[in-house]
Amino acid sequence: ITKRPLSVYAQGDGMPDDNQGWLFIEENSIGNYMVHAKEWLAQGVQIIGGCCGTNPAYIERLREATQTSGIE
């Protein structure tokens, strides 16, 4: 449909909370995030980032997944 780079900027593990600042809800754990990230990569997404709740561990897993699959 487009020749422009596709990107995903998905929610991580948690959500903002007015009282505590942040709630970890484990709805989108690293494992769950990676299931979706692999689907995005297979569909041609070239840039994957993360919003609230993502941290360096998410990015490390993304790096590992792209290295083992040959995707850069």
Side-chain angles (χ1 to χ4, degrees):
I1 296 173
T2 182
K3 293 182 183 195
R4 294 182 179 189
L6 299 175
S7 67
V8 175
Y9 189 72
Q11 181 82 4
D13 187 16
M15 59 191 242
D17 179 72
D18 289 338
N19 297 319
Q20 297 181 37
W22 189 258
L23 289 177
F24 289 95
I25 57 174
E26 298 190 26
E27 186 172 303
N28 202 13
S29 64
I30 293 175
N32 187 39
Y33 188 87
M34 289 307 301
V35 167
H36 294 290
K38 289 176 182 179
E39 291 174 7
W40 301 326
L41 291 168
Q43 293 173 5
V45 170
Q46 297 144 324
I47 302 166
I48 300 176
C51 190
C52 302
T54 57
N55 58 48
Y58 283 74
I59 304 307
E60 178 65 20
R61 289 284 299 274
L62 283 168
R63 184 187 64 80
E64 291 170 0
T66 57
Q67 286 181 338
T68 59
S69 66
I71 300 170
E72 294 184 28

